[in-house]
Amino acid sequence: MKTYSIGRDINCDIVINDPTDVVSRRHALLNVTSSGKMTIMDQSSNGTYVNGIRISQNVPVPVTRKDTISLAHVTKLDWSMVPKSNTYMRYALFGLAGILIAAGVVFGIKTFINLKDNGHDNNQVLLVDSAALKEKEQARLDSLAKVAKTDSLRQDSLKKAAQKRRDSIERKKKEKAPRKDSGQRPKEKKEKPTQPANSKQDIG
């Protein structure tokens, strides 16, 4: 525990300048524990006040840096003159050291497990990579097949359209061409056969 003396005496840890001599030469003591907790103890004749309330002489009273400490109602304690405890820094260092130790232990265990199962892990990685490559290759082949199918359908459609156009042209040509039977000769009329002369008139 660290004790800081407060007063007008130049030998005090925290010297208070008071030309009126109302503040005692050794007015109060501020005790700071290793955990950072503070208490103030009055040793003056004109009193020490914490947040406006006068405290008893030689009785330690818990205080913090948020409290207002008045010395005989003449001046207030300037907390900036009180050295800050390095407790929080020490706790932070201890916490950081603990985190580093825990991380080291975890890393060591993981490294040991990885070295122990290195072959097994490599096989798993290879299997995973192989499966991924197969899926990727299959997807590429499916894409190519889809493109080829689309192209084939497009070619078939173009062929059908061309064939339809050719058929239409041929049909129009046939309609415009003259008929072949228009140049044939007209059929000759058949003559009736002569009847034989049966009557006497025809003979004579």
Side-chain angles (χ1 to χ4, degrees):
M1 184 174 65
K2 180 69 175 176
T3 301
Y4 299 97
S5 58
I6 305 170
R8 287 188 296 109
D9 194 338
I10 59 174
N11 293 322
C12 290
D13 297 313
I14 301 173
V15 179
I16 305 298
N17 294 321
D18 179 24
T20 63
D21 294 338
V22 176
V23 177
S24 301
R25 291 181 180 275
R26 193 177 180 88
H27 197 95
L29 294 177
L30 182 67
N31 300 315
V32 183
T33 64
S34 58
S35 62
K37 294 181 179 180
M38 295 183 292
T39 59
I40 193 166
M41 188 166 54
D42 179 50
Q43 293 185 332
S44 68
S45 56
N46 293 322
T48 299
Y49 299 81
V50 176
N51 297 325
I53 300 173
R54 184 169 182 170
I55 63 175
S56 302
Q57 283 187 343
N58 299 318
V59 177
V61 176
V63 292
T64 65
R65 290 181 177 271
K66 295 181 180 180
D67 294 324
T68 301
I69 298 176
S70 176
L71 306 175
H73 281 318
V74 172
T75 185
K76 294 179 181 178
L77 175 63
D78 186 1
W79 283 106
S80 64
M81 299 175 66
V82 180
K84 290 185 178 181
S85 175
N86 59 354
T87 303
Y88 296 111
M89 183 64 68
R90 187 163 57 248
Y91 286 161
L93 291 175
F94 286 154
L96 182 61
I99 291 172
L100 290 175
I101 291 172
V105 171
V106 172
F107 180 76
I109 292 173
K110 285 186 176 181
T111 303
F112 176 75
I113 294 173
N114 289 337
L115 290 175
K116 185 177 179 181
D117 299 333
N118 191 19
H120 181 66
D121 291 342
N122 287 338
N123 290 335
Q124 286 183 343
V125 171
L126 289 174
L127 289 174
V128 171
D129 290 344
S130 178
L133 288 174
K134 286 182 179 179
E135 289 180 0
K136 189 174 181 180
E137 182 65 19
Q138 186 62 41
R140 189 179 69 85
L141 292 175
D142 292 343
S143 177
L144 291 174
K146 187 175 181 180
V147 171
K149 184 177 180 181
T150 303
D151 188 60
S152 177
L153 292 174
R154 188 172 64 86
Q155 292 292 338
D156 291 343
S157 177
L158 291 174
K159 286 181 180 179
K160 288 180 180 179
Q163 184 63 39
K164 188 175 181 181
R165 187 165 177 271
R166 284 196 296 269
D167 293 344
S168 176
I169 292 172
E170 289 294 330
R171 188 168 55 252
K172 288 180 180 181
K173 285 182 179 180
K174 288 179 180 180
E175 289 176 357
K176 290 180 180 181
R179 295 180 180 178
K180 292 181 180 181
D181 57 354
S182 61
Q184 293 179 355
R185 295 178 181 178
K187 294 181 178 179
E188 294 180 356
K189 293 182 179 181
K190 295 182 179 180
E191 295 180 356
K192 292 181 179 181
T194 57
Q195 295 181 358
N198 293 328
S199 63
K200 294 181 180 179
Q201 229 172 352
D202 291 337
I203 296 171

